[in-house]
Amino acid sequence: MTIQPFQDPAALAAPRVSVESRGPDAGWVLRHPEPLQPYTRCIGDWLEHWAHTTPDAVFLGERDATGGWVRLSYAQVRERVGRLAQGLLDLDLPPGAPVTVLSDNSVEHALLALATLHVGRPVAVVSSAYCRLTRDYTKVHAMLDALRPGLVYASDPAVYAPAMNAWRGSAPRVFGRDAAQVDGALSLATLAEARETPAVMRAFEGIRPDDHAKYLLTSGSTGQPKVVINTHRMLTANQQQIAQVWPFLMRHRLELLDWLPWSHTFGANHNFHMVLAHGGTLHVDEGRPAPGLIEKTVRNLREVRPNFYFNVPRGFDMLLPFLEQDDALARDVLERMEGVF
């Protein structure tokens, strides 16, 4: 049976607003009168919770080199996060220095970010376009200088090593594959060989809500990109806010297919965290709203059949012709869909 939650008045919070006037020349403030309910201490609490309560549920999935889907359960993700977290602790990186990621979305990227957060160190993701689409590395080097990372990760040295090697910083370079091709570089697989010790949970238990969780970067449209602090409290409180205005998220396990980059709030803090907060499943979409790549998204949508879908306007614009011309495809994609945003 097709689910139509927005015909259910309980699917969304009732529209309520209070208006506070600040005077004729000082404007006004709009507030929702419902109080914010308790929220999680830190991002890693979500992973700990679901790894214990729904260990076999699929958390992350992506296609491998053969085109098949590789999926990891919450228990598998937690085990790998623990190993990577120990590997990071063993490196004895400078206190507070972020782990900085230059690559696109992937399960490997997610595991490293979650491991970093689990030991109380911030994560910073730089848009891969600054390395992939130009040979002028001025901006990416300025961002690295501003971030002062403790470690810089990228998936493939063939794509990212030129920008990383040209940077004058001394942080360790880590690659997801072929690290031996770069002098002095480390392999992420080697970090993941560590055995988790009690030191990981000691670091995890020391995280406080106002500790830095992420450093996001502005677009740089008015100059060099600027670093914006995101605390654990900001990110976990935001998911509680969303849950209170979107009660339908509590009715079914959220299943997403998503390409939106984790260097931005939409793809990372909104979508990835929403899946993790609710114990859902995220399949990484290697497609994009671009010629030659939108076809990959169409194939993935047909196979994954997510129950909610996030995209940018251009993404919906490019999907529409495929859905309008193929009734079977439209049925496969939309049959389980509860909403789009």
Side-chain angles (χ1 to χ4, degrees), residues 44 81-82 84-89 93 99 112-122 196 199-207 211 232:
V81 162
L84 278 172
Q86 185 65 52
L88 291 172
L89 291 177
L93 303 176
V99 167
L112 177 61
L114 290 170
T116 302
L117 293 167
H118 228 71
V119 292
R121 187 176 291 274
E196 181 178 346
V200 170
M201 289 309 290
R202 285 198 297 269
F204 175 72
E205 290 161 0
I207 298 170
D211 289 349
H232 284 272

Side-chain angles (χ1 to χ4, degrees), residues 28-320:
W28 33 263
V29 176
L30 301 180
R31 287 193 179 91
H32 195 290
E34 180 179 346
L36 181 65
Q37 298 303 307
Y39 48 87
T40 301
R41 170 186 63 111
C42 68
I43 293 166
D45 277 339
W46 291 325
L47 179 58
E48 291 290 334
H49 172 77
W50 296 115
H52 284 89
T53 57
T54 59
D56 297 326
V58 174
F59 175 19
L60 297 172
E62 67 181 351
R63 289 196 187 276
D64 63 12
T66 68
W69 288 103
V70 176
R71 297 177 172 92
L72 297 179
S73 70
Y74 275 90
Q76 289 172 318
V77 169
R78 174 59 185 85
E79 190 270 338
R80 297 185 190 199
V81 162
R83 287 179 174 274
L84 278 172
Q86 185 65 52
L88 291 172
L89 291 177
D90 292 345
L91 288 176
D92 196 23
L93 303 176
V99 167
T100 299
V101 176
L102 302 182
S103 298
D104 289 328
N105 303 0
S106 69
V107 168
E108 188 174 77
H109 175 167
L111 294 174
L112 177 61
L114 290 170
T116 302
L117 293 167
H118 228 71
V119 292
R121 187 176 291 274
V123 175
V125 181
V126 177
S127 172
S128 66
Y130 291 111
C131 297
R132 288 190 300 104
L133 303 181
T134 180
R135 291 295 176 182
D136 179 0
Y137 303 130
T138 304
K139 279 201 171 183
V140 71
H141 289 168
M143 286 183 272
L144 290 173
D145 289 339
L147 290 166
R148 289 178 290 184
L151 179 152
V152 182
Y153 160 82
S155 58
D156 186 352
V159 178
Y160 298 97
M164 295 166 73
N165 289 338
W167 179 51
R168 292 175 296 178
S170 59
R173 277 69 161 168
V174 177
F175 291 98
R177 66 178 74 92
D178 300 328
Q181 296 181 5
V182 180
D183 289 344
L186 303 173
S187 164
L188 192 69
T190 300
L191 289 184
E193 290 174 356
R195 293 187 61 184
E196 181 178 346
T197 73
V200 170
M201 289 309 290
R202 285 198 297 269
F204 175 72
E205 290 161 0
I207 298 170
R208 297 293 175 261
D210 289 322
D211 289 349
H212 296 183
K214 290 187 177 183
Y215 299 140
L216 292 188
L217 291 145
T218 62
S219 66
S221 57
T222 58
Q224 292 293 351
K226 300 172 181 63
V227 179
V228 181
I229 296 169
N230 288 194
T231 67
H232 284 272
R233 183 194 304 275
M234 293 164 64
L235 300 173
T236 59
N238 184 228
Q239 286 302 323
Q240 180 60 37
Q241 292 167 330
I242 294 170
Q244 287 180 228
V245 297
W246 282 1
F248 68 86
L249 289 172
M250 313 297 288
R251 303 194 309 185
H252 311 287
R253 286 190 71 251
L254 186 65
E255 298 181 41
L256 294 189
L257 172 79
D258 198 38
W259 68 271
L260 290 159
W262 294 337
S263 52
H264 295 278
T265 289
F266 191 6
N269 297 349
H270 190 276
N271 298 357
F272 186 90
H273 288 178
M274 185 180 291
V275 169
L276 181 55
H278 294 281
T281 300
L282 178 90
H283 285 86
V284 176
D285 181 13
E286 78 279 16
R288 294 287 187 280
L293 294 174
I294 189 65
E295 294 82 2
K296 294 183 178 182
T297 293
V298 170
R299 177 190 175 193
N300 291 340
L301 280 170
R302 183 167 227 161
E303 294 184 16
V304 173
R305 301 174 70 226
N307 57 8
F308 207 92
Y309 191 56
F310 296 101
N311 213 326
V312 294
R314 179 60 173 161
F316 289 113
D317 183 51
M318 294 193 73
L319 280 173
L320 277 175

